Amino acid sequence: MGAFLAILMRDLRSDLRNRAQFVMIPVFYILAVILFPLGIGPETGTLSLIAPGILVVSSLFASLLALEKLFSSDISDGSFESIILCPVPISVIMAGKITAHWILTGLPLALITPFLAIMLGLSFEIALFSSLIILLITIILSLIGAMIASLVINTGKGSVLLALLSFPLFIPVLIFAAGAIDLAIIGGIGNSIAPILFLCSLTSIALPVVPIICAAIIKWQVR
Amino acid sequence: MSFITGKNLSCIRGMKYVYGKVDFTVDAGEILVVVGKNGCGKTSLLKTIAGFLKPSSGQITISCADDLQSLDIIHYIGTSSSLKKQLTVRENLTFWSKMLDSDADNIDKAIKSFGLDEMSNSQISYLSSGQIKRCSLARLLLAERKIWILDEPETALDNDSLNRFIDIVTNHVKNNGIAIIASHRPDIWPDNKKLLEIG
């Protein structure tokens, strides 16, 4: 637990002091969502119809934007070489890094979502529900993304490869997340239990497994 | 039997032959200085000893460790600093102290030994390359480990800092430690060192 908190606090401190990077992701999310009404037109009926897709796809792009930086600085400054020789399981380090990454990039998106959802014409109740869904999918995107990011760090073509490899894995998350909000709009929040259960089960599988996979990949990358 | 023995080591990375037929032994209380031209494989050899690289042929034996991967008797300080630029010297050393599961008192000892007192609350991004190098080397004193593997540690250090660091290494070796150092200045290290020329 000590090592988990140490890496979590180090990454939070370090990234919070690098304000440009920290602010970039939520600003990108807001701009991406705002662009849709500008392109489609201000009719609330049309916007609320496609709002679930707009919110989910925009959060997916915003999450992707931050993923490249997740492990690259630790590789370039040699931190991983030293960490591997520490008496700490690497999977714990990975869990700490992914958690810090989610707090800095995923959590802000979930907190902004209710305002953007209301702007797109959704009711207050659905806006809060959308926020919960974005909260859940950003966890999954951070976990799946971390796995891909650890694979591509030494390729020199990180961002392009990351996007190419991540999108196919993000598709089920996108479908079920947008579906959950759609079903809630049509028949109330109780109507979207099935997609929520799918997203929860995906999270509960990825949470313990991904840090172990990332640890194995990073060890292989350092060697 | 020596504490660390390397027999007939060679390393091929990608399609490139990095070094070959390297033999060495190091015992407790000894310094092994690895010398050679740029690109002759000094760093690769150090990484092989630390367990990051597998030798293409040959074998490394460390007498107290059955499994090279699980060693926690090695300090490896490479050419990169392993420090976060946005954090202060103290914050970086506190992090590494927790990673090494060492006593928090060692942080002050390390800061003092490497003359980092005045800049302990400065962010790494505001320090000179020599000061960053001292901060990176200060990790050696956070936790006691028998084997120090150092890749060109003298780089960027001024004469005072270098003499101070040589004293620290000498002290470590006197206490039955081992130092394996890749260096372009073998003359600066104590007289009782072993030299290993590769390339």
Side-chain angles (χ1 to χ4, degrees), chain A residues 17 77-78 81-82 85 223, chain B residues 52 69 82 84 91 145:
Chain A
R17 284 178 192 164
D77 69 21
E81 282 180 349
S82 303
L85 291 175
R223 286 178 181 135
Chain B
F52 297 134
Q69 319 300 326
S82 302
K84 289 289 161 208
E91 285 169 342
R145 290 189 168 190

Side-chain angles (χ1 to χ4, degrees), chain B residues 75-144:
Chain B
H75 267 309
Y76 175 83
I77 309 280
T79 45
S80 310
S81 69
S82 302
L83 304 170
K84 289 289 161 208
K85 284 181 185 172
Q86 287 80 17
L87 301 186
T88 66
V89 169
R90 184 173 289 279
E91 285 169 342
N92 269 298
L93 292 178
T94 305
F95 167 73
W96 284 110
S97 159
K98 285 176 182 165
M99 284 292 113
L100 293 163
D101 200 19
S102 69
D103 196 337
D105 295 342
N106 291 346
I107 300 167
D108 286 320
K109 190 179 133 196
I111 286 175
K112 204 174 174 190
S113 300
F114 280 87
L116 295 163
D117 312 61
E118 283 179 19
M119 64 213 74
S120 65
N121 292 317
S122 302
Q123 282 186 26
I124 298 294
S125 55
Y126 299 129
L127 303 185
S128 71
S129 51
Q131 289 169 327
I132 293 171
K133 190 76 190 183
R134 273 151 61 194
C135 183
S136 178
L137 292 169
R139 289 185 290 135
L140 292 168
L141 299 183
L142 292 177
E144 244 180 63

Side-chain angles (χ1 to χ4, degrees), chain A residues 77-179:
Chain A
D77 69 21
S79 291
F80 279 144
E81 282 180 349
S82 303
I83 283 173
I84 282 177
L85 291 175
C86 289
V88 175
I90 315 293
S91 54
V92 172
I93 303 295
M94 293 299 122
K97 284 198 71 66
I98 296 167
T99 308
H101 178 262
W102 175 76
I103 290 173
L104 289 167
T105 62
L107 190 60
L109 302 190
L111 295 175
I112 295 167
T113 296
F115 303 102
L116 296 173
I118 288 169
M119 189 195 78
L120 293 172
L122 298 182
S123 67
F124 180 69
E125 195 188 19
I126 300 295
L128 287 181
F129 178 70
S130 305
S131 175
L132 190 76
I133 294 293
I134 298 295
L135 188 85
L136 199 57
I137 67 163
T138 49
I139 297 174
I140 306 170
L141 296 180
S142 288
L143 287 163
I144 297 173
M147 215 162 56
I148 308 293
S150 62
L151 267 176
V152 301
I153 37 176
N154 276 339
T155 58
K157 296 179 181 76
S159 50
V160 183
L161 256 183
L162 190 62
L164 284 175
L165 294 173
S166 301
F167 278 140
L169 296 174
F170 286 173
I171 288 170
V173 182
L174 182 118
I175 292 168
F176 281 90

